[in-house]
Amino acid sequence: MKFEELSIRGAYLIGLQPIQDERGFFARTYCDKEFRENGLNPHFVQCNVSYNVHRGTIRGMHYQSAPYEETKLVRCIRGAIYDVIIDLRADSESYLQWAAVELTSDNRKMLYIPTGVAHGFQTLQDDTEVFYQMGSFYEQAAARGIRWDDPAFNITWPLKCWNMSDKDATYGGFELH
C-alpha cells in the first residue's frame, strides 16, 4: 500500500500496489503492520456499507463526540464519491480546515480518517456504494453533525447538493467550543 498524508494532520489517502498477471491483479487493502508503521490506528471493530441510488446525494458531515471518537477507513467499491473531511481537533495545526479526495471503484483508493475529524461525501454517479471500516462502535448518543453547507468551512461541492436525509439537512452550523 502507498500512504499519502493529506493537508489534515493524520489523514491519509491510501493507494493499492497491485500485483498483476493475465488473470487480473491481487492487492492488499489492509495490513496491521503497515498501518502501525505509518502511525495509524490499525484497530477496526465494525464494517458498514452505504448504498446511494442517486448522483449528487450528500451524506454528512458526521462525527462522534468524546469518548466515542471514530477512526474510519473509507473505500468506494462501486461508482464514485467526492469525500470530504473537516479537522475539529482544537490542538491540530489543521484545525477547522477541510480536505477532499475523489474515491472511485476504478482508482481503488481509500481514505483513512483519524479521530476528531468530521466526514461526509457526495456521490458523483448513480448506484454508488461505499464501504467503511470503523475504529469505534456507533454510539447514538455521541453522534454529531455539521451542516454540509456551513459557511464556516465553505466546502466546494462538485455537484448540486439535493438528496440528503432530513437529519443531515437540519444540522446546525459549527460552534467553537
Side-chain angles (χ1 to χ4, degrees), residues 22 63 108 121:
E22 68 281 352
Y63 64 99
R108 297 182 176 93
F121 63 84

Side-chain angles (χ1 to χ4, degrees), residues 20 26-27 69 73 88 95 105 108 123 152 155 167:
Q20 295 183 303
F26 172 87
E69 297 103 326
L73 184 61
L88 301 179
Y95 180 54
S105 55
R108 297 182 176 93
T123 58
I155 296 169
K167 184 176 179 180

Side-chain angles (χ1 to χ4, degrees), residues 57-109:
T57 297
I58 293 280
R59 290 189 186 258
M61 302 295 300
H62 303 142
Y63 64 99
Q64 287 196 165
S65 63
Y68 302 102
E69 297 103 326
E70 306 164 308
T71 55
K72 295 180 183 179
L73 184 61
V74 179
R75 182 169 180 216
C76 183
I77 57 175
R78 181 177 179 186
I81 63 172
Y82 183 75
D83 209 343
V84 178
I85 55 177
I86 302 171
D87 192 345
L88 301 179
R89 302 166 295 178
D91 63 341
S92 172
E93 61 272 7
S94 52
Y95 180 54
L96 300 183
Q97 294 177 28
W98 66 274
V101 296
E102 191 170 307
L103 303 178
T104 72
S105 55
D106 290 336
N107 73 21
R108 297 182 176 93
K109 293 183 178 183

